[in-house]
Amino acid sequence: MAEIMYWEAIQRAHDEEMARDPLVICMGEDIGVAGGTYKATKGLYEKYGPLRVIDTPISENSYTGLGIGASFLGVRPIIELMSVNFAWLAMDQMFNSAAKVRYMSGGQLTAPCVFRSAGGAAHQLGAQHSARMEKVFMGIAGLRVVTPSNPKQAYGLLKSAIRCDDPVYINEHELMYNMKGDVPDTEYFHPLEGSEVTRSGTDVTLFGYNISVHWNLKAAEILDKQYGISAEVVDLYSLSPLDREGIRKSVSKTHRAVVVGEEEAPVGVCSEVISVINEECFFELDAAPVRVNSALVPQPYNHGLEKAAIPNAEDVVAAVLKLFGKA
Amino acid sequence: MKLEDKKRVLREMVVHRRFEERCYQAYIERKIGGFLHLYPGQEACCNGVMEAARPGYDYVITGYRDHVHAIKCGADPKEVMAELYGKETGSSKGRGGSMHIFDVSKRFMGGYALVGGPFPLAAGIAKGIQMKGGDEIAICFLGDAANNQGTFHETMNMAALYKLPVLFVCENNLYGIGTAIERSTAVVHQHKRVCGYDMEAAETDGQDIEKVYEAAKVAVNHVRSGKGPYFLELLTYRYRGHSMSDSRGYRSREEEEMWKQRDPIYILRDRLIAEKAMTMADYEAMEKEVDAYIENEVIKFAEESPEPKVEELEKYVLADRESQLPWITGKAA
């Protein structure tokens, strides 16, 4: 077990899979000669050459479609969309071609591609470079959506996504590429479905994914130390399909739920999780489930405004205390 | 083209025409639902190009006016009609419909319903060929209006940049849905639009199959020999509206009549009669035989085929779960 960074974990998964299978390729803006904006493809161009590590023009929809078309012939493209904000432009091909082709061909064609992008708000990137779009992807039939919260997941989810015959969208986070964590030295495949109990607790479940798992862990620490509340932290690394059984199990144990996401609240991952709670275990609840989300504003540039728009561990603590009538 | 090929292709074009006209009737009878885009008038385009290529070997992709392209690649007309009827025996098991005919066993990679959507997919298929090292080519048939999408320019750029083995065939039928090309597009002659990417291109009469064939031979040879992509524009005309809901109020009956004087089937038929390769009686007998085939085999098959089972509504959304368990559960080692 070695401690490596999130970006190194992604790079390692690329490298191992490309070394194993000559039909695994990667493509995207600045991923080759420049090594990738977040270094996730560093060194691959030198090792595998321009036919397999493709620097694309800034034409998100069409290079995504090109990767999808190649996947029809059994090529396994890892398509990087430098920032999830640019994925808006590629959604036509992702949704209309990759996600639907299996169904509308009666099972004849599949699009085994991986789409990766950096999402989330970083440091003052403004309205058009701070989108949280996982809510959009998870509503599309025919597409798997996963989102790694640590280097081990970043490595193992990408490995599994490349091997899987379904198209998989991997939602990474701009602020997490330099995060360190343990990754197994031997080959490891992370399950594409399910959830993980990151911290066990008995009084309330804090559901999160990607960066919000870290806010929840911090909040659980504060709740335990300062208020004597035992919070369970559940990591929903698979957003589509959601782990209904994992959600039910945890809520049936703690009887309270706070769902935390960096996204804006309306029509989101968190509202979906609360629906699942209602459907799976409504009568287990001791309190109405609540959510903690970003403000519904285009992301502001000003540092103070940006901070105010995004939730943090203190907001999670406040939501839990309210749930217990302590605020 | 060899005489035997011309005679064979004439019959094929009659099958294509009669197939489409029978679809029209079935739509009126409400046997076919959804949108229906028909091909009569354009038959020489698909047939001429594919005679110069290798149907069933080269990969073909197109838009939503796709029935004839599928059949030309080798799809069974019975299965295509069954698809239009929404039946389980249909080429896409009733899940696709008119705009989404697929026959991957014949390398017909599908009909897609977003205008311009197949451009990058075709380039991707060509990328797949490049990766695998075969001598197949990818052929993308689309209409002129698709060239006003961003995917057109984005894909032409990448196809030329990466020297991909892809032939773009532009069937310029002069209308994008109900808008005349000169009212939507600054340049009527579409092959001029790829010169910005240094791509080889040509234009020819899309009504005369022999002219299409000759131009396509040059195009196919160019692509197959590894010289990169090629753009072939064929000037043609669709007799019917864009789809069934279109009453053609945007053009005159005189214009339509003028184009019908240059009908692709009749041009070839009259040439074969002039060459004394067949008589009008031969042709009429063949038409009757084709009609009987369409009615007694194609329609009968579609009519008598079973509907998909409602219990199988969610089949084909994702890959077969059992086969994907190692990655779904992470228990791969």
Side-chain angles (χ1 to χ4, degrees):
Chain A
M1 199 81 91
E3 193 176 64
I4 59 174
M5 283 192 254
Y6 195 84
W7 73 262
E8 289 174 307
I10 297 167
Q11 195 275 352
R12 182 180 145 195
H14 274 88
D15 193 9
E16 285 178 8
E17 291 300 301
M18 291 185 76
R20 177 190 61 87
D21 180 356
L23 288 180
V24 176
I25 64 172
C26 58
M27 51 196 296
E29 294 152 1
D30 272 10
I31 68 155
V33 173
T37 305
Y38 301 99
K39 297 189 278 188
T41 52
K42 192 180 169 197
L44 300 178
Y45 182 86
E46 293 76 10
K47 201 164 170 185
Y48 301 104
L51 276 181
R52 294 181 63 198
V53 182
I54 306 166
D55 279 315
T56 65
I58 302 176
S59 307
E60 286 85 4
N61 194 36
S62 292
Y63 79 67
T64 298
L66 194 151
I68 294 165
S71 79
F72 291 171
L73 266 64
V75 172
R76 303 252 160 182
I78 309 159
I79 303 165
E80 178 177 298
L81 292 144
M82 187 191 282
S83 152
V84 76
N85 302 268
F86 315 155
W88 288 116
L89 293 159
M91 282 187 182
D92 165 43
Q93 289 295 335
M94 293 174 75
F95 297 171
N96 280 312
S97 301
K100 293 175 186 173
V101 76
R102 183 177 174 82
Y103 198 82
M104 68 189 193
S105 69
Q108 292 183 67
L109 265 189
T110 47
C113 342
V114 180
F115 310 104
R116 297 176 40 245
S117 72
H123 299 292
Q124 292 187 275
L125 300 184
Q128 294 186 338
H129 274 65
S130 307
R132 286 127 290 166
M133 283 160 51
E134 52 279 8
K135 56 168 76 176
V136 184
F137 297 101
M138 74 184 284
I140 303 298
L143 188 67
R144 292 182 177 275
V145 180
V146 294
T147 181
S149 66
N150 56 54
K152 182 182 172 188
Q153 287 184 1
Y155 166 75
L157 284 171
L158 178 53
K159 293 272 291 183
S160 294
I162 293 166
R163 303 284 185 105
C164 181
D165 287 343
D166 296 318
V168 182
Y169 169 66
I170 304 182
N171 180 55
E172 296 160 6
H173 198 288
E174 298 222 17
L175 288 180
M176 289 165 64
Y177 287 102
N178 290 332
M179 168 187 288
K180 281 187 171 171
D182 284 334
V183 177
D185 297 325
T186 51
E187 194 169 49
Y188 165 73
F189 295 89
H190 195 84
L192 290 174
E193 294 185 8
S195 60
E196 275 170 18
V197 177
T198 311
R199 176 186 171 124
S200 192
T202 53
D203 301 335
V204 58
T205 304
L206 308 178
F207 289 103
Y209 58 95
N210 194 292
I211 200 165
S212 64
V213 172
H214 301 281
W215 305 337
N216 289 347
L217 285 169
K218 196 171 161 195
E221 197 68 30
I222 297 168
L223 287 165
D224 179 34
K225 292 226 169 91
Q226 297 182 23
Y227 301 96
I229 293 172
S230 164
E232 175 149 303
V233 175
V234 174
D235 180 345
L236 301 169
Y237 59 79
S238 170
L239 296 182
S240 181
L242 270 174
D243 182 17
R244 302 179 74 93
E245 178 55 19
I247 293 169
R248 188 197 62 76
K249 237 165 128 179
S250 183
V251 174
S252 299
K253 178 171 132 192
T254 64
H255 309 290
R256 288 180 182 82
V258 176
V259 191
V260 186
E262 199 195 33
E263 57 170 4
E264 309 86 338
V267 201
V269 179
C270 299
S271 53
E272 185 59 28
V273 171
I274 290 176
S275 288
V276 170
I277 293 170
N278 283 333
E279 287 161 5
E280 296 289 332
C281 48
F282 180 79
F283 293 105
E284 294 282 357
L285 288 167
D286 285 347
V290 294
R291 57 189 167 173
V292 176
N293 291 111
S294 286
L296 185 60
V297 293
Q299 193 63 12
Y301 165 71
N302 173 273
H303 179 60
L305 292 179
E306 176 170 72
K307 236 179 115 190
I310 304 287
N312 55 31
E314 286 68 39
D315 295 323
V316 179
V317 169
V320 172
L321 293 180
K322 207 170 161 194
L323 210 59
F324 282 87
K326 291 187 178 179
Chain B
M1 285 175 83
K2 288 187 203 134
L3 182 64
E4 282 316 299
D5 290 332
K6 284 195 272 190
K7 283 167 79 170
R8 173 180 51 78
V9 175
L10 179 65
R11 184 184 178 280
E12 284 185 49
M13 290 206 289
V14 171
V15 170
H16 300 156
R17 176 74 56 92
R18 294 307 219 196
F19 183 97
E20 294 290 79
E21 286 173 352
R22 192 58 183 79
C23 289
Y24 181 90
Q25 194 189 323
Y27 191 88
I28 302 288
E29 292 165 1
R30 295 179 181 245
K31 298 274 175 66
I32 296 175
F35 286 119
L36 181 67
H37 308 83
L38 300 174
Y39 200 58
Q42 300 184 205
E43 290 89 347
C45 297
C46 171
N47 278 280
V49 170
M50 291 313 293
E51 285 299 314
R54 298 190 209 161
Y57 182 75
D58 291 325
Y59 294 91
V60 171
I61 189 166
T62 188
Y64 39 76
R65 204 178 302 282
D66 59 351
H67 315 159
V68 170
H69 299 82
I71 293 169
K72 184 67 185 180
C73 288
D76 187 336
K78 293 203 286 280
E79 291 177 12
V80 178
M81 188 63 82
E83 184 61 32
L84 303 181
Y85 273 62
K87 298 295 183 74
E88 180 68 21
T89 55
S91 39
S92 300
K93 301 203 160 46
R95 270 74 167 178
S98 166
M99 301 191 285
H100 306 303
I101 306 292
F102 286 78
D103 191 340
V104 176
S105 72
K106 302 291 190 298
R107 296 193 168 171
F108 180 68
M109 307 301 274
Y112 299 79
L114 273 289
V115 174
F119 281 128
L121 297 175
I125 290 166
K127 175 70 189 171
I129 295 167
Q130 192 184 60
M131 293 294 301
K132 291 180 142 185
D135 74 337
E136 303 98 327
I137 64 170
I139 306 175
C140 177
F141 288 93
L142 286 176
D144 47 287
N147 303 345
N148 288 334
Q149 288 281 15
T151 51
F152 168 78
H153 289 283
E154 293 178 353
T155 304
M156 294 307 133
N157 177 46
M158 287 190 290
L161 179 69
Y162 304 137
K163 265 192 133 184
L164 296 174
V166 53
L167 167 58
F168 298 103
V169 179
C170 173
E171 300 187 38
N172 185 350
N173 66 19
L174 307 178
Y175 289 89
I177 315 180
T179 300
I181 187 166
E182 65 272 14
R183 296 186 59 241
S184 68
T185 309
V187 180
V188 170
H189 294 277
Q190 297 299 297
H191 66 286
K192 293 182 184 171
R193 300 178 78 178
V194 299
C195 68
Y197 304 104
D198 267 352
M199 194 185 294
E200 288 290 323
E203 173 192 75
T204 194
D205 175 4
Q207 301 307 89
D208 184 337
I209 188 164
E210 291 194 81
K211 287 187 183 153
V212 175
Y213 174 76
E214 291 304 326
K217 234 168 46 176
V218 174
V220 166
N221 286 341
H222 175 93
V223 176
R224 206 183 300 282
S225 63
K227 291 181 186 146
Y230 194 101
F231 187 92
L232 178 61
E233 177 182 9
L234 305 172
L235 295 171
T236 187
Y237 200 76
R238 62 166 154 75
Y239 294 163
R240 296 207 177 271
H242 166 73
S243 71
M244 294 294 285
S245 58
D246 171 359
S247 55
R248 300 162 9 256
Y250 47 81
R251 68 190 192 192
S252 68
R253 300 295 83 84
E254 291 75 26
E255 179 187 296
E256 292 178 354
E257 207 34 59
M258 190 186 83
W259 276 92
K260 283 182 180 174
Q261 296 304 312
R262 300 210 64 250
D263 184 279
I265 293 177
Y266 297 159
I267 286 175
L268 182 57
R269 177 197 68 185
D270 294 347
R271 194 170 292 154
L272 287 171
I273 291 173
E275 290 171 9
K276 303 217 183 302
M278 70 188 302
T279 64
M280 189 56 102
D282 291 338
Y283 176 78
E284 283 166 0
M286 184 253 280
E287 261 191 339
K288 272 200 184 130
E289 174 261 313
V290 167
D291 280 346
Y293 161 71
I294 299 279
E295 210 53 46
N296 302 336
E297 294 193 42
V298 175
I299 291 290
K300 186 166 185 280
F301 179 79
E303 294 268 1
E304 291 176 357
S305 285
E307 302 275 341
K309 292 187 192 119
V310 173
E311 308 85 76
E312 292 186 347
L313 171 67
E314 291 175 14
K315 201 174 170 183
Y316 309 122
V317 174
L318 292 172
D320 166 56
R321 194 174 172 81
E322 283 297 310
S323 69
Q324 303 305 306
L325 277 179
W327 330 119
I328 291 172
T329 62
K331 290 181 183 124

